[in-house]
Amino acid sequence: MPDTPLLDTVTFPADTRGFDAGQLRQLADEVRAETIDAVSVTGGHLGSALGVVELTVALHHVFETPDDILIWDVGHQCYPHKILTGRRDRIRTLRQGGGLSGFTKRSESEYDPFGAAHASTSISAALGFAAARDQKGGSNRVVAVIGDGSMSAGMAYEAMNNAVEATSGQLTVVLNDNDMSIAPPVGGMSAYLAKLVSGGTYRSFRRLGRSMAQHLPRPFRDAAKKAEEYARGMVTGGTFFEELGFYYVGPIDGHDMEALVPVLKNAAAITDRPVLVHVVTQKGKGYAPAENSADKYHGVVKFDVVSGKQAKAISNAPSYTKVFGTELIKRAQHDPSIVAITAAMPGGTGLDLFGQAFPERTYDVGIAEQHAVTFAAGLAADGMKPFCAIYSTFLQRGYDQVVHDVAIQGLPVRFAMDRAGLVGADGATHAGSFDIGFMGTLPGMVLMAAADEAELAAMIATACEIDDRPSAFRYPRGDGVGVEIPERAAPLEIGRGRIVREGTSVAILSLGTRLQESLKAADLLSARGVSATVADARFAKPLDAEMILRLAREHECLITVEEGAMGGFGAFVLQLLAEKGALDAGLKVRTLHLPDVFQDHDKPEAMYAAAGLNADHIAATALTALGIGAARGAVRA
Ligand SMILES: Cc1ncc(C[n+]2csc(CCOP(=O)(O)OP(=O)(O)O)c2C)c(N)n1
Ligand SMILES: CC(=O)[C@@H](O)[C@H](O)COP(=O)(O)O
Ligand SMILES: [Mg+2]
């Protein structure tokens, strides 16, 4: 544990309010050491947190949190904030079951006035808080901190566009520009910010001194007159933001406490217009292994603090993500119309591999899922074969585009939905729980779910051939099950499932990831003298009606299993059975799916157990339905 004498005196931000610049610097150093040490035992989003240590200390020193509202965009950089807001005693439980969330969360602390984890929501939320304050005649201040990567999303612009009209009072947006998203940032705004930073203004701000006050907008000038040192580090510019009605201040060095504190004090005092403070930081700041790594330790597993070496688990199977990337490359080698789209997640989606193989056919559109989907629709409309690879949870943001721009027009966009199902430590915000329901209800959509990595390869091959309508395939976070992938996977027959194991009394109909557990459940049932068929549905849409109706006819009990929310595969099957009268003769149907709650972060195994999607739960469900009765423990292997 690091030596933290000053931090030890701080439990809440109020404890820092009397600190001088030297003490604030020392506090930042100690918070940084504490953050590194904590994440070394928990894993998590380290690089972004290290980049905002000074900013966090300065914000809590200047603003009267929690009365003043401080909103972190994404929230993945909030560990220093948690350390300073009464949660240091639990900081080594970050992202662990029952422990602190890795993001901001309203239920966790009054210092988290708004929860997040998806990007680019902070300015809208802050504007809402500012407008609420205005409505109530309050006087508290409101701050949003948003990263340069998150500044690529439509929501951020929608909020800035509305800011001047929605609030007549104080609102500070801190643009934390570390010139990084998860991958290097992309797009015109990123280039614009780089230009602002590389301009003479930034290089020379230290020389500007008090004369700068003359060039500042009037409120700054007045404030600067009161405290001339506040003017240091403030530079006008940023035409784009000015045109939207903001005062633009910056760029300033986000690691320089003597620049940060006075500038933030000034921003807090401005009430006639919103202020955008452009702060330049370094992702991974102050920890050499992070600073020197390509991803700046954006997300790490446990690591050794001295060497920075991460304790990566060894696996015998490739990750689904890697299978997606490599299989798509194979297909693209024979089909020049295949192109791939990612919304700022090239590494996370495996499209970094595709991008190396086909740089000209890979589009990283930034954090802009809505645009990604409609951009793919345009590509498809003009004869390309777009694979739009977006995590299930982030595709939620592009849903109207999926409906309106893709599905209604019947365009053959292929949606590769990674991280479908539970994701462990990132928790509820990142779980891909809903895609079966929201994609499966769309007319014309072909929706597949991979039970293993060979199935994923087959589904990619299938999607390649679907040229007359949209298609989607879902697959989970993590490694495959270790099955062999054929050199050239054959496409599947659309709407055909497969029987994996034949039995007589119970039919377990699995969609996607829980097939292995379903097979284990069949073993458990067999040990209890119950014969089970196990089928892999492969398709949530169109359903294999023939297979499902046969299972219904030939078994006493039918259990659907899926790693998705209610209202998904099980609901589709029930609807089919009802429509075809297959429920009329007493078939016992049970639908196993994710529980109707937002499951908190935990180890995946614990989450599956809590969800009731393990072999013993499946088997117990069958036994209970058959009236054989079994406490779960009774069927455990
Ligand atoms: C809507 C959405 N898309 C993608 C992501 C994945 N994501 C999390 S952080 C991040 C990069 C954010 O970059 P920036 O805002 O600059 O913060 P930094 O990591 O640089 O501190 C991305 C792409 C997300 N959380 N939400
Ligand atoms: C904060 C965020 O949204 C990403 O960093 C996310 O945590 C990545 O998840 P994976 O680790 O599953 O790629
Ligand atoms: Mg960034």
Side-chain angles (χ1 to χ4, degrees):
M1 301 264 275
D3 193 21
T4 54
L6 187 58
L7 176 57
D8 294 346
T9 69
V10 174
T11 309
F12 293 104
D15 302 327
T16 74
R17 305 250 158 86
F19 283 5
D20 62 25
Q23 286 173 303
L24 292 174
R25 273 198 307 274
Q26 183 186 338
L27 181 63
D29 291 344
E30 293 180 15
V31 168
R32 178 167 281 112
E34 178 74 341
T35 303
I36 294 167
D37 192 73
V39 181
S40 76
V41 298
T42 62
H45 291 101
L46 183 59
S48 304
L50 295 179
V52 296
V53 170
E54 286 78 14
L55 181 61
T56 308
V57 169
L59 283 165
H60 281 298
H61 171 72
V62 169
F63 289 90
E64 303 271 332
T65 53
D67 294 334
D68 287 348
I69 299 296
L70 173 57
I71 299 177
W72 296 95
D73 204 272
V74 185
H76 64 316
Q77 72 293 67
C78 70
Y79 309 166
H81 160 81
K82 292 200 177 190
I83 289 171
L84 291 174
T85 54
R87 286 169 276 184
R88 185 184 179 196
D89 56 343
R90 286 172 291 155
I91 202 66
R92 285 167 184 76
T93 69
L94 269 173
R95 294 163 62 85
Q96 316 299 303
L100 292 177
S101 163
F103 303 101
T104 48
K105 195 169 179 182
R106 277 171 62 85
S107 58
E108 204 175 84
S109 165
E110 61 178 334
Y111 290 88
D112 291 1
F114 202 73
H118 287 202
S120 320
T121 60
S122 62
I123 307 178
S124 297
L127 192 52
F129 274 97
R133 173 206 55 208
D134 300 346
Q135 292 284 348
K136 294 189 281 187
S139 59
N140 61 311
R141 279 87 53 96
V142 181
V143 187
V145 183
I146 182 166
D148 56 313
S150 300
M151 244 329 170
S152 60
M155 265 194 91
Y157 296 92
E158 292 167 33
M160 286 191 290
N161 189 46
N162 182 223
V164 172
E165 282 161 20
T167 180
S168 51
Q170 182 278 341
L171 172 67
T172 302
V173 174
V174 178
L175 170 55
N176 170 36
D177 181 0
N178 56 19
D179 198 26
M180 273 297 277
S181 188
I182 294 183
V186 295
M189 176 49 67
S190 173
Y192 175 66
L193 295 178
K195 208 161 105 189
L196 289 177
V197 171
S198 69
T201 47
Y202 178 60
R203 284 199 301 275
S204 62
F205 89 86
R206 283 174 182 281
R207 289 190 278 111
L208 294 173
R210 74 171 65 171
S211 66
M212 271 313 300
Q214 307 312 317
H215 303 286
L216 297 171
R218 178 157 198 90
F220 281 102
R221 194 163 65 225
D222 294 346
K225 272 190 197 142
K226 279 190 223 131
E228 284 169 348
E229 76 275 17
Y230 291 179
R232 239 163 20 99
M234 295 199 299
V235 180
T236 53
T239 315
F240 175 83
F241 301 105
E242 293 275 340
E243 292 297 331
L244 288 174
F246 282 73
Y247 286 127
Y248 170 88
V249 183
I252 64 166
D253 180 347
H255 301 299
D256 180 352
M257 205 60 87
E258 271 140 31
L260 276 176
V261 170
V263 167
L264 291 175
K265 280 187 176 166
N266 267 349
I270 308 292
T271 54
D272 69 326
R273 266 211 261 164
V275 180
L276 185 131
V277 182
H278 184 178
V279 167
V280 180
T281 61
Q282 188 184 354
K283 198 162 177 171
K285 174 77 176 176
Y287 185 51
E291 286 183 11
N292 297 332
S293 78
D295 74 345
K296 309 296 173 199
Y297 278 28
H298 173 85
V300 290
V301 293
K302 293 177 192 190
F303 61 93
D304 173 63
V305 174
V306 176
S307 66
K309 200 167 175 330
Q310 296 183 53
K312 293 220 162 119
I314 297 159
S315 168
N316 297 323
S319 70
Y320 283 94
T321 299
K322 187 162 185 204
V323 172
F324 168 67
T326 48
E327 288 297 313
L328 195 61
I329 291 171
K330 281 193 213 164
R331 299 277 149 189
Q333 279 158 351
H334 303 281
D335 188 342
S337 61
I338 290 178
V339 291
I341 299 138
T342 173
M345 304 295 284
T349 57
L351 288 187
D352 52 346
L353 304 173
F354 190 87
Q356 284 154 23
F358 301 106
E360 305 302 326
R361 289 156 65 180
T362 309
Y363 299 91
D364 181 351
V365 301
I367 302 178
E369 288 79 8
Q370 297 166 311
H371 162 60
V373 172
T374 304
F375 174 62
L379 283 160
D382 206 13
M384 303 303 292
K385 287 190 177 179
F387 277 76
C388 194
I390 299 183
Y391 287 12
S392 165
T393 187
F394 300 142
L395 188 58
Q396 289 162 194
R397 185 163 291 182
Y399 188 53
D400 182 58
Q401 287 72 13
V402 174
V403 178
H404 175 267
D405 300 328
V406 176
I408 288 178
Q409 306 196 89
L411 289 169
V413 175
R414 289 84 173 157
F415 292 100
M417 301 188 296
D418 201 332
R419 308 305 195 266
L422 299 174
V423 294
D426 271 347
T429 53
H430 281 58
S433 308
F434 307 110
D435 59 86
I436 305 175
F438 72 64
M439 296 299 265
T441 51
L442 297 179
M445 181 68 70
V446 175
L447 176 57
M448 301 171 266
D452 59 41
E453 56 270 44
E455 285 291 298
L456 174 59
M459 288 171 185
I460 295 165
T462 312
C464 276
E465 301 209 335
I466 301 177
D467 284 327
D468 59 346
R469 57 196 139 147
S471 57
F473 46 96
R474 74 188 311 256
Y475 46 100
R477 189 177 198 275
D479 295 332
V481 301
V483 297
E484 202 178 321
I485 303 173
E487 183 45 38
R488 190 157 177 80
L492 302 171
E493 188 182 340
I494 293 175
R496 278 267 170 256
R498 60 177 175 146
I499 302 292
V500 184
R501 167 176 172 154
E502 286 279 7
T504 52
S505 56
V506 174
I508 304 172
L509 176 58
S510 167
L511 176 79
T513 47
R514 304 315 282 167
L515 180 66
Q516 303 303 317
E517 290 298 311
S518 299
L519 286 165
K520 279 190 217 156
D523 287 339
L524 295 175
L525 289 170
S526 168
R528 295 289 304 267
V530 175
S531 166
T533 295
V534 178
D536 174 10
R538 282 179 166 156
F539 292 82
K541 185 162 194 161
L543 287 175
D544 186 343
E546 195 184 308
M547 180 181 83
I548 294 170
L549 292 172
R550 183 170 77 77
L551 293 177
R553 262 194 323 274
E554 294 177 0
H555 297 81
E556 189 182 338
C557 171
L558 173 68
I559 298 174
T560 64
V561 187
E562 69 197 291
E563 193 175 336
M566 59 192 284
F569 177 65
F572 301 157
V573 170
L574 266 177
Q575 223 153 357
L576 170 79
L577 295 173
E579 275 165 18
K580 300 291 177 190
L583 297 174
D584 302 358
L587 175 70
K588 292 161 181 152
V589 184
R590 301 291 182 271
T591 57
L592 296 183
H593 45 72
L594 293 175
D596 190 23
V597 293
F598 289 108
Q599 277 185 272
D600 277 339
H601 58 280
D602 205 332
K603 290 198 165 38
E605 312 83 77
M607 296 181 82
Y608 287 125
L613 287 179
N614 284 343
D616 57 327
H617 295 95
I618 301 169
T621 302
L623 291 175
T624 308
L626 292 173
I628 296 176
R632 260 175 220 148
V635 293
R636 271 204 187 109

